[in-house]
Amino acid sequence: MKHVDIKNILSNADMVGREVVVCGWVRTFRDSAQVAFLELSDGSSFRKLQVVIDKGALSLDPETTKLGASVAVKGAVVKAYKGEGKELNAKEIALLGKCPPDYPIQKKRTTLDFLRTIPHLRLRTNTFAAVFRVRSVAAQAIHRYFHERGYYYINAPLITASDCEGAGEMFRVTTRPWNCAAKTEEEYYRGDFFGVKAGLSVSGQLEGEVAATALGKIYTFGPSFRAENSNTTRHLAEFWHVEPEIAFAELCDVLEIAEEMLKYLIQAVLDECPEELAFFDSFVEKGLIEKLTHVLRSDFAVCTYTEAISLLEKENARFAFPVHWGSDLQSEHEKYLTEQVFKRPVFVTNYPKEIKSFYMKQNADGKTVAAADLLVPGIGEIIGGSEREADLGKLMAAMSERGMDESAYRQYLDLRRFGSVPHGGFGLGFERFVMYCTGMENIRDVTLFPRSSKNIM
Ligand code: 4AD
């Protein structure tokens, strides 16, 4: 169907005077004695196009005026009667699809809770359409950022036999019937599709390291799966994960890259989605644009885990989970650090080895590892990364301390056997980044069909 996007009409001055066909969904209809106005949205931009109908010249099918109906309008683009914009003087209006009155997206019923029950229709609201345009722009910017800097884009497998984070949060991949009788776990999986226990990957990092130790700088950008039973506003069972991995890099390089990348992405969203951000600033998070520009201007703070714990211990009375050296940071601690203490993004580094993954580089103190989590106001942890343990003996010792089966990681260990190099990387939770840029407070509202425990609509 030959037609012009509303975005093109509204953003190009040379469209005035042109005859075009526009397709879209009716957002509002206003009627008067001689003229009627249809406001159309086709999803291409935040702004809608006003269609002006001269009722004397055009007989109007009432179905084309209903909220949610889809129409094709042929007409002439003109300067708007009021203001700077443009509008369309209709010559023909064709109905593409009727929309009966039980259309669920009605003006009065658009709470986020309600819209979560109709994920297939909620993108037709201003808020959700804006979220997904921002999400798309951010995804393109991720590829641009890495491509411009010479990183290669790698697709890590989604089905894997190794649990990267070692936290036992893998979904199992199986074709075996539920009532299969087997005496041992091993016997059970031997008869399964892969012949061993397989699952959906929690991270592409291990394969990313394979690629980085050959290509130098790589990134993956794809889904990761976590069977964690945390029904929070920032966890999904399926989320998109951006994971750069860099050879010849130490922890300080990882921090530098993470900060530069995050600022690049924020700048791209500010530049390419001004209308969406103005909307979010007005209706979702007051001061959002100022928050994002403040982040661009500030240097991210850096503090060690040990420093963070001594800051938090002073405030233990306010926390549901008081902290001590060795405890994992909960969301309340992360938020306190970034919102109350540093008031900007902060990297917390050098965590106790017991609460981090086996692959992280062991520091000389024998107690901590060269890890870094980036915490941001409003969200908490948005990035998790580290320098990797490049020493074969130390890596094997860490695996054996955790009771890990070495034979499942033979290839990973080979990277340390053959020309091992210092290297590191990090993972950005893409949905958490979209939340940060839009002010949306629930991760389910920045995901097309969110998957979480007991929820697969
Ligand atoms: O801190 P995580 O677990 O780190 C890793 O997976 C490393 N392998 C990354 C690496 O070094 N290449 O996860 C990284 C980020 C978190 O900071 C968070 O933003 C996001 O992934 N994340 C989730 N996002 C949504 N739902 C979940 N269940 C998430 N789990 C982690």
Side-chain angles (χ1 to χ4, degrees):
M1 205 169 196
K2 274 245 177 292
H3 67 282
V4 180
D5 286 346
I6 288 175
K7 184 176 186 166
N8 280 354
I9 294 176
L10 296 179
S11 54
N12 291 322
D14 63 359
M15 292 302 279
V16 173
R18 299 255 294 266
E19 186 167 284
V20 296
V21 174
V22 173
C23 298
W25 292 272
V26 174
R27 283 304 197 83
T28 59
F29 176 66
R30 282 185 294 128
D31 203 5
S32 67
Q34 269 105 43
V35 267
F37 302 95
L38 273 183
E39 199 187 31
L40 283 194
S41 162
D42 67 356
S44 62
S45 80
F46 190 82
R47 281 181 294 161
K48 288 133 203 107
L49 181 67
Q50 169 144 290
V51 176
V52 184
I53 302 151
D54 176 352
K55 288 167 76 176
L58 204 66
S59 77
L60 204 51
D61 171 356
E63 293 296 342
T64 62
T65 68
K66 300 277 161 65
L67 175 66
S70 50
V71 295
V73 183
K74 189 181 203 179
V77 179
V78 294
K79 280 197 166 158
Y81 183 65
K82 281 191 203 150
E84 299 289 293
K86 302 186 196 76
E87 51 196 29
L88 192 69
N89 280 344
K91 294 195 174 142
E92 286 168 32
I93 303 181
L95 180 68
L96 298 177
K98 282 188 195 180
C99 191
D102 60 345
Y103 181 49
I105 310 282
Q106 301 290 334
K107 282 227 157 57
K108 286 189 210 122
R109 294 189 66 200
T110 50
T111 65
L112 295 175
D113 281 343
F114 167 69
L115 291 171
R116 245 170 256 142
T117 67
I118 46 167
H120 59 303
L121 292 172
R122 64 178 178 168
L123 264 66
R124 298 194 194 176
T125 63
N126 284 339
T127 307
F128 283 90
V131 164
F132 284 88
R133 279 191 296 269
V134 167
R135 188 175 164 130
S136 171
V137 163
Q140 298 291 346
I142 283 163
H143 287 296
R144 226 170 35 242
Y145 173 82
F146 288 115
H147 181 65
E148 283 169 1
R149 285 156 186 77
Y151 286 68
Y152 291 105
Y153 174 42
I154 296 296
N155 307 119
L158 301 186
I159 300 177
T160 177
S162 58
D163 176 0
C164 169
E165 293 305 304
E169 295 163 347
M170 269 219 284
F171 285 102
R172 227 185 286 153
V173 174
T174 178
T175 53
R176 293 221 89 176
W178 66 272
N179 61 353
C180 169
K183 289 196 187 65
T184 62
E185 212 188 8
E186 214 180 26
E187 184 189 317
Y188 175 86
Y189 291 116
R190 210 178 304 126
D192 205 346
F193 188 88
F194 294 104
V196 289
K197 188 174 180 176
L200 293 178
S201 181
V202 299
S203 159
Q205 178 198 322
L206 303 192
E207 295 83 3
E209 287 185 54
V210 168
T213 52
L215 301 175
K217 289 184 291 188
I218 66 93
Y219 71 105
T220 68
F221 182 15
S224 284
F225 305 87
R226 304 231 171 148
E228 46 200 348
N229 219 342
S230 38
N231 237 328
T232 77
T233 53
R234 48 180 216 147
H235 288 90
L236 288 173
E238 176 182 305
F239 69 97
W240 278 65
H241 210 169
V242 183
E243 296 189 277
E245 192 67 33
I246 308 105
F248 318 112
E250 294 167 330
L251 186 66
C252 55
D253 305 304
V254 171
L255 301 197
E256 217 172 271
I257 295 161
E259 177 168 345
E260 189 197 47
M261 181 201 72
L262 209 70
K263 288 179 172 172
Y264 180 99
L265 300 183
I266 290 171
Q267 187 70 62
V269 171
L270 283 167
D271 290 346
E272 295 177 55
C273 304
E275 287 158 4
E276 284 77 7
L277 287 200
F279 168 80
F280 290 125
D281 198 312
S282 303
F283 297 105
V284 178
E285 181 184 337
K286 294 257 179 281
L288 174 74
I289 294 175
E290 174 49 31
K291 173 188 89 177
L292 296 175
T293 38
H294 171 68
V295 168
L296 292 182
R297 286 193 301 260
S298 46
D299 290 332
F300 293 4
V302 182
C303 93
T304 65
Y305 168 89
T306 303
E307 287 160 357
I309 289 294
S310 60
L311 288 166
L312 292 167
E313 270 177 331
K314 290 186 201 131
E315 301 294 328
N316 259 343
R318 67 161 72 213
F319 300 128
F321 299 95
V323 294
H324 57 270
W325 201 95
S327 57
D328 215 348
L329 299 187
Q330 307 282 336
S331 164
E332 57 176 345
H333 312 126
E334 294 174 352
K335 288 192 171 188
Y336 177 77
L337 286 172
T338 186
E339 287 166 19
Q340 307 295 324
V341 181
F342 293 99
K343 299 187 167 57
R344 59 193 157 128
V346 53
F347 286 108
V348 179
T349 63
N350 299 321
Y351 284 76
K353 62 181 181 184
E354 288 78 13
I355 58 169
K356 286 292 181 188
S357 300
F358 73 98
Y359 53 72
M360 294 185 177
K361 184 185 162 66
Q362 296 157 37
N363 288 329
D365 61 13
K367 292 191 298 193
T368 62
V369 286
D373 285 352
L374 180 66
L375 317 179
V376 297
I379 308 263
E381 184 195 327
I382 195 167
I383 283 177
S386 74
E387 185 174 338
R388 319 306 186 192
E389 183 53 73
D391 181 283
L392 179 64
K394 287 185 180 170
L395 183 58
M396 287 174 69
M399 291 173 71
S400 118
E401 270 171 31
R402 288 166 172 78
M404 292 170 65
D405 174 12
E406 223 175 78
S407 65
Y409 294 85
R410 210 168 290 134
Q411 297 173 345
Y412 189 66
L413 294 171
D414 268 357
L415 304 181
R416 278 71 180 169
R417 255 185 215 112
F418 307 122
S420 188
V421 295
H423 65 288
F426 61 86
L428 166 72
F430 186 49
E431 285 79 10
R432 292 192 189 175
F433 176 73
V434 178
M435 290 168 74
Y436 189 56
C437 284
T438 56
M440 298 299 282
E441 288 180 349
N442 192 326
I443 198 164
R444 291 167 185 76
D445 296 335
V446 299
T447 310
L448 193 54
F449 285 95
R451 270 72 174 99
S452 55
S453 173
K454 306 284 183 289
N455 175 22
I456 186 160
M457 280 179 88

